[in-house]
Amino acid sequence: MKKIIAIISEELMQAFEAKGYDPQYGIVTLSNRPDLCQYQCNGALSAAKAYKKAPIMIANEVVEVLKESKTFEKIEAIMPGFINISLNSEFLADYLNEMTRAEQFGLEKTGNPKTIVIDYGGPNVAKPLHVGHLRSAVIGESIKRICRYAGHNVIGDVHLGDWGLQMGLIITELKKRKPDLVYFDESYTGEYPEEAPFTISELEEIYPAANEYSKTHPEYKEEAKNATFLLQNGNRGYMALWNHILNVSVTDLKKNYEKLNVSFDLWKKESDAQPYIPDMIQYLKENNYTRISEGALVVDVKEETDTKEIPPCMILKSDGATLYNTTDLATMVERMKLFQPDAITYIVDKRQELYFEQVFRCAKKTKLVDENVKLTFLGFGTMNGKDGKPFKTRDGGVMRLENLINEINDAVFKKMMENREMPEEEAKSISKKVGLAALKYGDLSNQASKDYVFDIDRFISFEGDTGPYILYTIVRIKSIVAKYKESTGKIEITENTILPTNIKSEITLMLQASKFNDVIINAYEDNAPHRICQYIYELANAFNSFYHENKIIAEENKEKQQSWIGLIILIQEILETCIELLGFEAPDRM
C-alpha cells in the first residue's frame, strides 16, 4: 500500500508531465499553512526558471488537468505559483478503510531486507546501571523495533565492558579482603565452586573502593595491572573469578533492563573480540596499513579534505597493550564473520564522535569491514537536571537507574491515588506502565543528539506532550469502544466501515491517521524515534478534539456511529503500534 503523500504526488507528477514539464516538479509536501490547505506543491516555482514561464501560469495549467480528479476536494493555484491541495473526504475514507484491512496498516515492508547490528546498552560488568545508561538503552531499543517493523533483520547487542583494568582491580581487592579464597591458591588443581564468593551488592561496592584506592596507592595499581595481565593470559583462578563476576553482573543487568522493557539478542562482551586481535594485527602489518609513532602502532586515517585534525587510530600502545580502538575493530571483524551485516549502528554518547570517526575510517581504509557496509554513529545528548547540568541525586551522586525508575513509578502512584479511587495493588501495577511511558517518552520525544532536561513533574503529567497523555488517550478510546460493545452487543468492522464526512474535527483525525506509513518510514530512514512521538502526540490531540466535539455513544445515526467506532479503533491500534515501537504499553484503565 502506497504512502498517501506518494499517491498525491503521483497525480501531480502525471499532471506536470501531461503539460510537458519534468514530472519531478510534482512532488507534494505537507502544507506549512494547514489553515489554508492540507498539502501543497511548490514545483511550479522551481519549473519557472527552467521553462522561462511565470510560475502561476505553470501552476494554473497543472490545476486545470486535475480539477476533475476524485482525489481532491479542492486544488487551486495561488500567487506566485503555489498549488494548494485539500483531499476529497471519500478518497480519505477509502484510504483509511484500506489501512484497516491491510497488515501493518498497509506499510510496505522493504523488498530488500538488510541485516543490521545495533550496538546499544554498553554497560560495564560489576557496576550498577545508572542514569547515564538510560539513553543508549531506550534509543537503541526503539530503533531496533522500528527497523524490524520496516522488515529488516536486526541483531541487538549489549556489548558488555568486561576485559579492562576494572577486572584486575576487582580481583586485587578480592584478594586483599579474602586472601584464603581457593582462586588465589596457585597449587590448586580441582574444580572451582559454582557459587560466586560475592553478591551483586558486594561486587558493586568492591569496584569503586578498589578504583579509589588505586589512585593514591601506585603499588596497588601495579598489582591490579598484573592481575589484568594474568587474567588475559588465562590464569585459571582469575578466569574462574571473572566468570563469577560476569554471571552475577549479567543476572542483575537483565533484571534491570527488563524493568525498562529493553532486551538484547546478544550478550556479547569485549572479551569475545580478543581471539580476533592477533590475526587482525598481523593482517594490518602485512598489508602495510600501520606505522610506528613514538613506539605505538597506528593507522593514519586523516584525509585530504579534512578541515579539522583527525589523529591516527592507535592499535597498540608503546608497551604492546591493546586499547578500546583495538577491541572495537576486532569486534567489527567478529561481526563481519558471524553475521555479514549490511549496517552496524552504534548508539553512544555524542562526545565520542571523534573516536568513532577514527575507528570507522580505520575499519574502511584497512578493509576490515566491507566497503558497502554502512557504519553509523548515533550520538545522543545528555540527560540534565533542572539546573542544566548532568542529572544527579539530591546529594550530588550519580543516580542508579533502578532508583530513577522507582522514583518515577512512586510519583505516578501517588498522583493516581490522589485523583481516583482504585485498589492499591492495581494502582501499583498501572503506575509501573505509566511510569515507564513517562520515562521513555520523556527521553524519546527529544531528538537523540540534543540534551534535555529531566523534569519528573512534567513527564508524569496527564496533559500535554507526555507519555501518560498518550496512554490516557488510548485508555479513553478503549472505554468508549467497551461502552459501545456493551450497548450494541457487538462490533462490526466491514470493508467500508469508515464513511466520508464533512465534520472538520473528523477530517483532521482521518488525515493524521493516514500519515502513519510516511512517519514510520521516515523514522526508520533517519533513526529518529522522536518523529513517532511527535506523530502520536498530534494524533492524540486530533482524537481528543474529535471526541470533545462529537458524542459518540449518544449518536442516534447508527451508520455514522459505527463509522466513528471503526475510525477510533483504527486510531487505537495505530497508537498502540507506535508505543510498542517506542518500547512501552498501555494499561486497560488509568
Side-chain angles (χ1 to χ4, degrees):
M1 185 173 170
K2 290 178 182 174
K3 296 184 288 187
I4 195 163
I5 202 164
I7 295 171
I8 305 164
S9 290
E10 277 180 15
E11 285 211 38
L12 269 290
M13 290 166 80
Q14 287 167 12
F16 269 90
E17 192 170 29
K19 286 297 178 180
Y21 304 112
D22 187 325
Q24 288 307 308
Y25 290 118
I27 297 295
V28 169
T29 60
L30 281 172
S31 171
N32 54 19
R33 286 290 305 275
D35 54 320
L36 298 178
C37 60
Q38 297 160 359
Y39 292 89
Q40 65 188 62
C41 174
N42 303 335
L45 298 169
S46 306
K49 189 174 181 182
Y51 292 94
K52 296 181 173 56
K53 234 177 185 179
I56 192 67
M57 290 176 65
I58 298 172
N60 276 320
E61 288 179 57
V62 171
V63 168
E64 185 65 26
V65 174
L66 295 168
K67 65 180 181 182
E68 300 299 323
S69 170
K70 293 182 179 178
T71 304
F72 310 116
E73 183 74 29
K74 187 178 181 183
I75 181 163
E76 57 183 344
I78 303 292
M79 287 292 288
F82 300 110
I83 299 175
N84 287 359
I85 302 163
S86 291
L87 300 180
N88 181 294
S89 172
E90 195 169 330
F91 165 77
L92 197 51
D94 286 345
Y95 189 84
L96 263 58
N97 282 317
E98 195 176 344
M99 283 181 70
T100 301
R101 294 190 297 268
E103 188 181 348
Q104 291 195 172
F105 311 107
L107 180 82
E108 288 187 356
K109 285 198 174 188
T110 178
N112 180 29
K114 292 181 170 62
T115 296
I116 304 169
V117 175
I118 302 183
D119 186 319
Y120 68 107
N124 289 320
V125 300
K127 297 182 189 177
L129 291 175
H130 57 75
V131 292
H133 293 111
L134 176 71
R135 300 214 70 192
S136 179
V138 166
I139 296 167
E141 181 69 19
S142 181
I143 288 173
K144 178 186 76 177
R145 292 174 182 223
I146 293 166
C147 291
R148 279 190 182 148
Y149 195 79
H152 298 285
N153 171 36
V154 189
I155 302 162
D157 184 6
V158 69
H159 196 66
L160 297 170
D162 73 325
W163 202 240
L165 180 60
Q166 72 193 63
M167 291 296 112
L169 285 165
I170 294 166
I171 291 168
T172 302
E173 183 65 17
L174 271 171
K175 190 173 184 180
K176 180 176 140 190
R177 296 183 183 192
K178 302 179 180 181
D180 295 332
L181 285 175
V182 68
Y183 308 94
F184 304 118
D185 181 355
E186 291 181 15
S187 63
Y188 184 76
T189 57
E191 292 294 316
Y192 290 107
E194 287 186 18
E195 194 76 23
F198 42 71
T199 64
I200 185 64
S201 300
E202 290 171 322
L203 194 55
E204 289 171 354
E205 182 273 324
I206 285 170
Y207 173 70
N211 191 41
E212 199 59 36
Y213 190 76
S214 72
K215 290 175 183 176
T216 52
H217 295 77
E219 74 290 347
Y220 181 89
K221 190 165 189 176
E222 278 305 309
E223 190 180 343
K225 282 183 178 178
N226 186 52
T228 306
F229 175 81
L230 290 172
L231 168 67
Q232 295 181 351
N233 283 275
N235 179 287
R236 269 187 83 239
Y238 290 4
M239 288 290 287
L241 277 175
W242 171 70
N243 277 309
H244 285 317
I245 294 167
L246 274 179
N247 292 335
V248 169
S249 294
V250 168
T251 299
D252 187 66
L253 287 170
K254 284 183 176 178
K255 181 184 75 177
N256 283 293
Y257 276 125
E258 193 176 322
K259 289 179 181 176
L260 274 179
N261 199 16
V262 168
S263 63
F264 302 91
D265 305 290
L266 299 175
W267 283 79
K268 284 283 190 179
K269 315 171 291 296
E270 271 186 86
S271 57
D272 289 325
Q274 300 307 308
Y276 295 88
I277 289 177
D279 286 349
M280 180 184 80
I281 290 171
Q282 187 178 348
Y283 162 81
L284 294 175
K285 287 178 177 177
E286 285 177 354
N287 288 275
N288 299 317
Y289 289 122
T290 59
R291 66 179 176 87
I292 302 296
S293 173
E294 298 178 18
L297 189 71
V298 303
V299 174
D300 288 315
V301 293
K302 185 171 169 54
E303 296 172 0
E304 289 182 11
T305 53
D306 288 335
T307 55
K308 62 181 180 182
E309 186 61 33
I310 304 289
C313 183
M314 192 183 298
I315 308 299
L316 293 175
K317 292 183 185 178
S318 55
D319 62 0
T322 58
L323 305 94
Y324 282 123
N325 308 37
T326 328
T327 304
D328 278 328
L329 287 166
T331 299
M332 288 184 185
V333 171
E334 180 190 29
R335 286 171 175 163
M336 290 305 300
K337 182 177 180 180
L338 297 181
F339 311 116
Q340 298 85 47
D342 300 290
I344 308 174
T345 301
Y346 293 81
I347 319 290
V348 192
D349 188 309
K350 67 181 178 182
R351 289 169 290 189
Q352 293 195 43
E353 184 173 10
L354 176 60
Y355 167 78
F356 276 94
E357 178 74 22
Q358 289 174 285
V359 172
F360 287 179
R361 286 190 183 189
C362 183
K364 286 295 179 82
K365 178 180 178 178
T366 61
K367 299 181 174 60
L368 291 175
V369 168
D370 295 347
E371 188 181 350
N372 57 353
V373 173
K374 185 179 181 184
L375 299 176
T376 302
F377 168 75
L378 184 62
F380 55 80
T382 312
M383 183 177 112
N384 295 326
K386 292 181 183 179
D387 59 359
K389 296 176 182 176
F391 190 84
K392 301 280 186 184
T393 58
R394 288 186 180 85
D395 61 5
V398 177
M399 181 178 273
R400 290 178 64 147
L401 193 49
E402 190 173 12
N403 294 342
L404 180 72
I405 294 169
N406 290 338
E407 192 173 303
I408 204 164
N409 289 349
D410 290 345
V412 171
F413 173 74
K414 185 179 176 185
K415 190 168 189 173
M416 286 176 64
M417 295 306 281
E418 284 172 358
N419 295 319
R420 50 191 59 73
E421 287 184 17
M422 188 181 288
E424 188 173 313
E425 194 173 320
E426 184 185 6
K428 281 188 174 176
S429 174
I430 291 171
S431 69
K432 287 180 182 177
K433 289 184 177 181
V434 178
L436 186 62
L439 186 64
K440 285 194 160 187
Y441 189 94
D443 187 298
L444 292 170
S445 57
N446 301 277
Q447 190 172 336
S449 61
K450 293 183 178 177
D451 300 345
Y452 74 92
V453 173
F454 181 84
D455 183 343
I456 195 166
D457 295 325
R458 182 171 69 82
F459 285 7
I460 67 170
S461 173
F462 282 48
E463 297 173 357
D465 191 6
T466 69
Y469 171 69
I470 304 299
L471 297 194
Y472 191 73
T473 302
I474 294 170
V475 169
R476 172 175 273 169
I477 297 173
K478 285 181 178 182
S479 174
I480 296 166
V481 172
K483 284 178 185 172
Y484 175 81
K485 189 174 182 180
E486 194 178 310
S487 65
T488 62
K490 60 181 177 178
I491 293 175
E492 284 188 59
I493 304 294
T494 65
E495 283 200 1
N496 297 298
T497 296
I498 300 169
L499 301 173
T501 183
N502 57 8
I503 299 170
K504 189 177 178 183
S505 62
E506 187 176 0
I507 289 171
T508 301
L509 181 57
M510 292 165 77
L511 275 168
Q512 282 298 331
S514 73
K515 295 173 188 172
F516 171 81
N517 293 344
D518 203 33
V519 169
I520 299 302
I521 294 302
N522 287 339
Y524 159 69
E525 288 175 347
D526 297 338
N527 286 324
H530 72 278
R531 299 265 174 84
I532 296 177
C533 293
Q534 183 182 359
Y535 170 68
I536 58 176
Y537 177 55
E538 291 171 357
L539 184 60
N541 280 342
F543 165 76
N544 285 310
S545 294
F546 168 74
Y547 167 77
H548 288 301
E549 290 179 21
N550 301 282
K551 304 302 177 190
I552 300 171
I553 298 301
E555 175 56 47
E556 293 180 359
N557 182 325
K558 295 306 174 187
E559 191 179 35
K560 181 189 281 189
Q561 186 186 46
Q562 188 173 335
S563 172
W564 285 351
I565 291 295
L567 175 60
I568 68 170
I569 287 173
L570 175 62
I571 303 304
Q572 177 192 330
E573 290 172 350
I574 289 173
L575 287 171
E576 288 182 321
T577 297
C578 287
I579 65 172
E580 171 70 20
L581 295 177
L582 297 173
F584 55 92
E585 62 180 338
D588 290 324
R589 73 180 189 127
M590 284 168 70

